[in-house]
Amino acid sequence: MHQALVDLWYGFGVAFEPHNLMWSFFGVLVGNLIGVLPGMGALSAISILLPLTYVMHPVPAILMLAGIFYGSQYGGAIGAILLNLPSHPPHAVTCLDGYPMTKAGKGGTALGITMISSFFAASVGIIVMIFASPLLVEIAFKFGPTEIFSIMLLGLLAGATMSRGSPLKGVAMTLFGLLCGVVGTDVNTGTIRFSFGLLDLSDGLELVAISMGLFGAADFLVSVNKMSAITTSTKLKLRDMRPSMAEMKEAFLPMVRGTLVGTLFGAMPGTGPTITTFIAYALERKVSKTPERFGTGMLAGVAAPEASSHSKTQVDFIPTMSLGIPGDAVMALILGALLIQGIQPGPQLITEHPDIFWGLIASFWVGNVLLIVLNVPLIGVWVKLLKVPYKYLFPSALFFIAVGVFSTQNSLFQIWEVLAFGIIGALLMALDFSVAPILLGFVLGPMVEENFRRALLLSRGDMMIFVQRPISAWFVAASALLIIVQIWARLRKGKGKKDLLPKTA
């Protein structure tokens, strides 16, 4: 415990360096703004700013991207509560009780409870990170290529089967991402694969181009017909955002339960914040003495999902930074940013790059304080920004996407990549496919392949090595169990549908 506190003190020293603090503030501000605007999520913002990290030092680059991530979580709650506008899926649950509170004249109270819940949950998530990290350092040297492959296989399966929509569609999208990852030069043999004679593809597809296409250009193409501005007459004062002691008492236990749900699911790769918020809300309805009042403006219906979302956001960084397994698409992008900087995420990251790991943890607290300071005076500004028509918002975003992609390597080919993946992403969204697993497969694919081949070289081609080593065997068993559970759930669902069919004589 003493060593963890010493490391945290070192992290605060890194986080408070002027240039690191400036980039952290910039990330939080941009994330907050992006979170408020409908359709422009953390994925879009990080995709647009990812090219900037090419010319930045690794520490401020990661602090900025992390600031965008948790800043957007704060911003998303504002539109959900004040306008019944879930800018991002995790905040759809917040609308259920947040907007009725606004109609009852308690929108300020809902926002105040959201800020308190968010800060409390984020703090718990950070503490979990601090005390979980030394344990990960202890087991770091037990992870060879066999164990790394097995745990990444579990991450891929979890991300594919637990994504939004059908598990089969999730698996299909992950496989598509894996196929995109094998394009380019083979690391082991130097052979150029699947380039179709195009020299520009000899180094593979670009993470920046794929992410901007799937989450930036695709969003524009899907939302291109939304031309109307949003109208609101909501006016808030600072004193409206201070909840009473009775309201704090009512929200306290839901806030704690939501935080525990988010912390538990944050450690599981592939479970997005949307699942977490729905589970936290469902739990509150179960334990409540008046479940029928949910949806009419219950504080518990705001505090629990927002707390779960923020604790998950923080704990998500544990599998990403320490095991190299991104919990969701945003984490996959942050993982990609580390790889761009030449930093290999994994159990040894904590010892090899303590400035990044501990600086990031300390910046979480700094950033969450900045968010509270920013949100109190800027609520009125964010509400006005929600009135910006899509016809101005999305073309501007598309312009910055094109400039950002071109600036990475001064290559027009990458802009064509963005266009291609934008069209692919829009078509997949129209067919109700989740595009997030594509990014997960693309980022993890090359590492999965490399460690798989390395493990087989060490075992002279014996596949049994993956079940002979204890840690690897556990992860392989967990992967098999996940597949069996999904098949069983699908068969049970199919049987339920047959039972509902009318019987004929």
Side-chain angles (χ1 to χ4, degrees):
M1 183 175 175
H2 176 262
Q3 186 57 46
L5 293 174
V6 170
D7 290 334
L8 183 62
W9 184 254
Y10 166 71
F12 274 110
V14 173
F16 278 114
E17 287 178 16
H19 65 289
N20 289 341
L21 189 61
M22 180 194 74
W23 284 111
S24 185
F25 175 79
F26 175 73
V28 162
L29 181 65
V30 170
N32 208 191
L33 167 63
I34 291 296
V36 171
L37 296 173
M40 292 283 289
L43 276 168
S44 302
I46 292 175
S47 298
I48 292 168
L49 290 173
L50 197 60
L52 191 60
T53 63
Y54 276 70
V55 293
M56 291 174 68
H57 188 272
V59 177
I62 299 305
L63 296 195
M64 177 189 74
L65 296 180
I68 293 170
F69 185 29
Y70 55 81
S72 66
Q73 297 292 325
Y74 265 81
I78 296 170
I81 290 169
L82 298 183
L83 300 165
N84 200 30
L85 188 72
S87 303
H88 318 296
H91 299 291
V93 181
T94 310
C95 290
L96 298 177
D97 284 278
Y99 187 61
M101 286 185 73
T102 299
K103 290 200 290 185
K106 291 187 175 181
T109 303
L111 285 173
I113 289 292
T114 295
M115 286 186 187
I116 294 164
S117 301
S118 303
F119 186 76
F120 172 80
S123 298
V124 171
I126 295 163
I127 291 166
V128 170
M129 276 194 78
I130 291 167
F131 292 106
S133 54
L135 298 174
L136 292 166
V137 173
E138 286 179 21
I139 65 167
F141 297 105
K142 295 180 181 177
F143 277 73
T146 311
E147 287 76 18
I148 292 171
F149 164 77
S150 301
I151 197 169
M152 286 187 173
L153 176 66
L154 177 61
L156 278 173
L157 284 169
T161 56
M162 293 183 184
S163 62
R164 179 184 60 82
S166 162
L168 276 178
K169 287 182 176 180
V171 170
M173 292 299 93
T174 306
L175 289 173
F176 180 61
L178 288 169
L179 285 173
C180 293
V182 300
V183 174
T185 307
D186 181 7
V187 178
N188 291 348
T189 64
T191 307
I192 297 175
R193 308 179 296 185
F194 304 106
S195 66
F196 303 100
L198 296 170
L199 193 62
D200 293 284
L201 288 178
S202 58
D203 288 331
L205 295 165
E206 279 295 320
L207 173 69
V208 176
I210 288 180
S211 58
M212 284 190 179
L214 290 176
F215 302 104
D219 270 344
F220 172 77
L221 292 171
V222 169
S223 308
V224 74
N225 291 322
K226 295 180 182 176
M227 294 298 177
S228 59
I230 299 156
T231 56
T232 177
S233 57
T234 306
K235 290 181 181 178
L236 284 175
K237 295 178 183 176
L238 181 59
R239 65 173 177 267
D240 296 331
M241 297 174 67
R242 285 186 300 203
S244 65
M245 284 303 295
E247 288 166 335
M248 277 300 301
K249 189 177 178 182
E250 184 186 341
F252 179 71
L253 283 177
M255 183 169 67
V256 172
R257 285 190 289 263
T259 301
L260 291 173
V261 170
T263 303
L264 177 66
F265 279 84
M268 298 181 188
T271 53
T274 308
I275 298 169
T276 315
T277 53
F278 274 92
I279 289 173
Y281 189 83
L283 177 64
E284 286 311 307
R285 288 197 64 174
K286 282 283 185 187
V287 301
S288 174
K289 293 177 181 177
T290 54
E292 70 281 355
R293 288 179 57 199
F294 276 78
T296 62
M298 290 281 283
L299 271 175
V302 174
E306 286 301 313
S308 69
S309 173
H310 282 78
S311 58
K312 172 160 176 58
T313 299
Q314 303 301 156
V315 180
D316 257 341
F317 282 87
I318 295 177
T320 304
M321 303 292 281
S322 57
L323 299 173
I325 299 177
D328 56 20
V330 178
M331 286 288 112
L333 269 183
I334 292 174
L335 187 71
L338 285 168
L339 295 170
I340 286 168
Q341 297 281 353
I343 295 165
Q344 182 70 44
Q348 296 180 28
L349 175 73
I350 303 165
T351 50
E352 291 177 1
H353 300 281
D355 54 339
I356 290 178
F357 187 83
W358 292 105
L360 182 65
I361 287 179
S363 79
F364 289 151
W365 256 317
V366 176
N368 277 285
V369 171
L370 286 172
L371 278 167
I372 291 174
V373 172
L374 275 172
N375 271 294
V376 171
L378 290 179
I379 289 291
V381 178
W382 300 145
V383 172
K384 286 179 182 175
L385 273 171
L386 284 164
K387 297 178 184 178
V388 176
Y390 281 88
K391 63 182 177 182
Y392 302 126
L393 179 65
F394 278 94
S396 305
L398 206 59
F399 170 75
F400 286 116
I401 285 169
V403 171
V405 170
F406 183 77
S407 66
T408 56
Q409 294 180 10
N410 296 330
S411 169
L412 278 172
F413 184 80
Q414 289 188 22
I415 294 180
W416 288 110
E417 279 186 45
V418 173
L419 179 62
F421 277 97
I423 293 169
I424 291 168
L427 288 171
L428 290 171
M429 286 177 186
L431 295 170
D432 200 31
F433 281 83
S434 176
V435 293
I438 297 175
L439 201 61
L440 191 71
F442 178 75
V443 171
L444 285 187
M447 290 187 282
V448 169
E449 182 193 5
E450 186 183 340
N451 283 289
F452 177 72
R453 291 169 72 174
R454 197 179 294 169
L456 288 182
L457 281 171
L458 291 171
S459 68
R460 299 180 183 274
D462 185 5
M463 293 283 286
M464 291 302 292
I465 192 172
F466 295 108
V467 292
Q468 287 170 348
R469 295 173 69 96
I471 296 174
S472 176
W474 276 105
F475 286 120
V476 169
S479 301
L481 183 64
L482 186 62
I483 293 169
I484 291 165
V485 167
Q486 290 294 334
I487 292 171
W488 179 75
R490 190 166 181 81
L491 289 172
R492 192 178 176 191
K493 189 178 177 182
K495 189 180 175 184
K497 283 183 180 177
K498 282 183 183 177
D499 292 341
L500 290 171
L501 290 172
K503 293 178 182 177
T504 55

